[in-house]
């Protein structure tokens, strides 16, 4: 009910009476009043005036299922949002919920991650205070080989959402790091459970440095946050809702042909590697080439010294930019 | 210790004294005696003679970690064998053990499966009495797309092991059903957990109808067992050990180039579809062609009416033999 009350208060231009809320939500006025009080205790500033009713003045920077859900009441993509106080990692929880048969797409949120992981089992330290840690779980009817394309679509969605909510101009480092001024602001970890010819479920884990005020010395050169770049705090729930809208659109575009064809242009506009020299390491050998874009299958297209084009897959190579700041 | 004692007794041509066992295993004679008694209680016929020592006369048809382990003491492939009385499915348990960080390759065995599954979530009913239900967990450094090749290698290993232990002549129906006289004797379900460009772990679940004496009417035309074909009961542990040896070899051959090149010939000799008409269903359309073998990537190679060759992937099509008995 918190979700619905927040939605009604947020979308109403005037105060809403207890009577109106009770009618709209089909619950008793006592239930409305109790829920309002709970929200107030959680830090929501809800003004209550005898004659006019309730007005939402401000809310806390809260990552909860109801806070995010209240911002997505009019957007039909997620079957459910699962919010936690603390989990080992949102990807792990999402996988468990998928195995337990929960309907997809769904979103897992948490306030705290005790064992976040990056790609290939590397540790991922999320600055808890002010970070967003979230995982989408999807059950698309695709072959496992297509999952790498989906991670590019996710990177695009996050980059677009960050720009929309913050006014910043983020870019994408292939395949799916979102960066601002050369520093990483978001990491994405895609994991799937599959049979050889069919995906059972895919979990797209997204970590965004939002209201993070400082980084430890060893990360300062590599990482940044919305707060550090935009010099303001933003509502994480609003960002999560925006990412969800963008992600739903990118996901649907991806599903049409199970490739990047419909998203390639939007992706390449943000591609920081475009027309830049990249260092490619393949099978022990290392060489430089110029990135010219991506293919429909999400591979990086590079121009070699002799002018021939080559497709680079993230599985085979690590791409390091040599443009100074990565 | 059961494993070691069974190994010593089974591989010794003469009786083994308690003193010898105690020295070889570096345990007390009391411990040896206690374990021997436990084994006797489990149904092992161990003859104990005052002067000469212990002799293993016969063992029960037991699917346990120690019974199988005692037959693989001299074969170094598995890091561990986990045996259970009852699990929902050995694939599920193997995945959980992998997530918990157990070292691969390992094998999961069970006496009873309460929720066995087939491909694409279909139910898999295993006739419990006399069936083998097992899952290997592997952590190969391969791309997800290569997993489909591994399932073919697994089918080959099971087919070879069944023939070796039973004297029967099994065949493979592409991609990996093992059949005898046109009826299914083994089903394989391969599942993986992966990032888009790297497999985390692969679980290969294998169900074999071994000492199954009868099938319900609706399965009689489709399924058979070692017992029904060979007219004798065989040791399931012996078969599991044989499958493990064959599987280890096929897996290692697969890993060299991550394809079927080294196994193709052995596979095609057993391919029941070879030079047979198969019915292919692709995107709503249905047509016939003649199977001519497999590619290095594990696709079925079919010759169309106009003489052109086509590669068929299991994800896109269902192949039905039209040679009468499938």
């Amino acid at each position: 009910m918190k979700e619905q009350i927040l939605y009604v208060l947020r979308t109403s231009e005037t105060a809403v009476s207890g009577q109106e809320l009770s009618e709209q939500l089909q619950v008793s006025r006592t239930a409305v009043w109790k829920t309002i009080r709970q929200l107030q205790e959680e830090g929501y500033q809800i003004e209550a005036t005898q004659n006019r009713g309730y007005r939402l003045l401000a809310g806390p920077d809260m990552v909860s299922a109801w806070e995010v859900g209240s911002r997505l009441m009019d957007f039909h993509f997620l079957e459910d949002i699962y919010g936690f106080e603390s989990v080992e990692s949102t990807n792990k929880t999402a996988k468990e919920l998928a195995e337990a048969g929960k309907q997809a797409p769904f979103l897992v949120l948490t306030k705290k991650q005790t064992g976040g992981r990056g790609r290939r089992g590397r540790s991922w330290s999320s600055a808890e205070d002010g970070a967003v840690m979230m995982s989408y779980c999807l059950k698309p009817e695709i072959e496992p080989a297509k999952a790498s394309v989906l991670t590019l679509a996710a990177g695009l969605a996050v980059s677009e959402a960050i720009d929309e909510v913050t006014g910043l101009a983020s870019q994408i480092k292939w395949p799916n790091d979102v960066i601002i001024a050369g520093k990483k602001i978001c990491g994405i970890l895609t994991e799937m459970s599959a049979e050889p010819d069919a995906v059972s479920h895919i979990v797209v884990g997204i970590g965004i440095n939002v209201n993070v005020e400082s980084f430890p010395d060893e990360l300062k050169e590599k990482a940044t946050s919305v707060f550090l770049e935009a010099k303001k705090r933003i509502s994480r729930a609003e960002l999560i809702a925006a990412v969800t809208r963008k992600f739903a659109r990118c996901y649907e575009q991806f599903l049409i042909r199970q490739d990047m064809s419909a998203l390639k242009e939007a992706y390449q506009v943000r591609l920081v590697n475009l027309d830049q020299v990249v260092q490619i390491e393949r099978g022990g050998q290392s060489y430089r080439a110029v990135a010219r874009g991506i293919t429909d299958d999400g591979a990086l297209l590079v121009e070699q010294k002799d002018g021939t084009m080559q497709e680079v897959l993230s599985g085979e190579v690590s791409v390091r930019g040599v443009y100074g700041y990565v």
Side-chain angles (χ1 to χ4, degrees), chain A:
Chain A
M1 188 161 43
K2 285 175 180 171
E3 192 172 291
Q4 285 97 324
I5 289 183
L6 286 172
Y7 172 70
V8 173
L9 293 184
R10 188 170 287 123
T11 52
S12 167
E13 285 176 16
T14 58
V16 186
S17 72
Q19 182 63 32
E20 283 175 87
L21 280 170
S22 137
E23 280 165 17
Q24 274 197 45
L25 275 57
Q26 307 263 329
V27 294
S28 72
R29 289 192 61 169
T30 317
V32 167
W33 175 79
K34 274 189 182 163
T35 307
I36 293 272
R37 213 175 53 173
Q38 275 172 23
L39 287 168
Q40 286 169 329
E41 277 164 12
E42 284 167 10
Y44 288 89
Q45 290 178 43
I46 299 173
E47 184 189 63
T49 324
Q50 193 92 41
N51 296 327
R52 283 177 293 165
Y54 301 108
R55 220 156 57 95
L56 178 65
L57 301 179
D61 177 26
M62 169 89 89
V63 176
S64 65
W66 53 90
E67 176 63 23
V68 173
S70 74
R71 295 165 185 274
L72 290 169
M73 290 287 285
D74 53 356
F75 188 78
H76 303 290
F77 174 64
L78 299 173
E79 291 292 327
D80 221 331
I81 301 175
Y82 302 93
F84 297 88
E85 288 297 313
S86 174
V87 295
E88 193 180 313
S89 83
T90 52
N91 268 26
K92 186 162 187 268
T93 301
K95 282 189 266 182
E96 286 164 1
L97 291 168
E99 293 283 347
K102 296 295 183 197
Q103 262 210 297
F106 63 79
L107 172 61
V108 173
L109 300 171
T110 190
K111 290 176 183 159
K112 191 177 164 180
Q113 242 183 203
T114 58
R117 282 173 308 132
R119 290 175 60 201
R120 306 288 179 96
R122 287 189 280 262
S123 71
W124 164 265
S125 58
S126 36
E128 280 161 29
D129 287 335
V132 157
M133 294 148 283
M134 63 200 284
S135 294
Y136 296 102
C137 179
L138 313 156
K139 298 190 179 177
E141 289 186 11
I142 62 169
E143 284 173 45
K146 303 291 185 187
S148 59
V149 188
L150 183 54
T151 66
L152 268 71
L156 173 60
V158 174
S159 179
E160 287 182 347
I162 287 176
D163 291 7
E164 182 185 275
V165 173
T166 66
L168 292 166
S170 67
Q171 289 182 290
I172 301 168
K173 184 177 154 216
W174 183 85
N176 64 10
D177 281 347
V178 181
I179 63 172
I180 292 183
K183 293 178 179 177
K184 191 162 167 173
I185 200 163
C186 165
I188 296 175
L189 172 63
T190 301
E191 295 179 282
M192 66 179 146
S193 170
E195 292 178 35
D197 54 10
V199 163
S200 307
H201 60 259
I202 294 190
V203 170
V204 180
I206 299 170
I208 312 174
N209 302 321
V210 184
N211 298 325
V212 180
E213 297 185 8
S214 67
F215 288 93
D217 281 344
E218 67 272 22
L219 286 179
K220 266 184 182 145
E221 297 300 308
K222 291 181 185 169
T224 190
S225 70
V226 171
F227 177 84
L228 291 172
E229 298 298 325
K231 315 286 181 215
K232 63 176 179 186
R233 301 177 75 84
I234 63 158
S235 156
R236 284 177 291 169
E238 191 185 334
L239 180 60
I240 293 168
V243 169
T244 301
R245 287 196 186 87
K246 296 285 188 190
F247 181 69
R249 193 187 62 84
C250 289
Y251 178 57
E252 279 151 16
Q253 294 285 309
F254 157 76
L255 281 184
I256 295 168
R257 293 197 198 158
Q258 306 184 8
D259 67 12
M260 283 296 282
S261 53
L263 299 167
K264 198 160 69 175
E265 212 170 314
Y267 182 95
Q268 287 181 162
V269 166
R270 294 172 177 274
L271 186 61
V272 73
N273 313 87
L274 199 68
D275 298 330
Q276 299 287 330
V277 175
V278 291
Q279 180 126 349
I280 296 165
E281 278 155 48
R282 172 178 271 169
Q285 292 218 308
S286 179
Y287 61 94
R288 292 180 176 195
V290 179
R292 293 299 186 200
I294 59 165
T295 67
D296 284 348
D297 291 330
L300 188 66
L301 208 56
V302 300
E303 187 179 333
Q304 291 173 294
K305 268 188 188 152
D306 61 4
T308 57
M309 299 299 268
Q310 191 186 24
E311 293 185 13
V312 171
L313 295 168
S314 72
E316 317 176 300
V317 296
S318 77
V319 174
R320 289 202 175 75
V322 288
Y323 36 87
Y325 54 78
V326 168

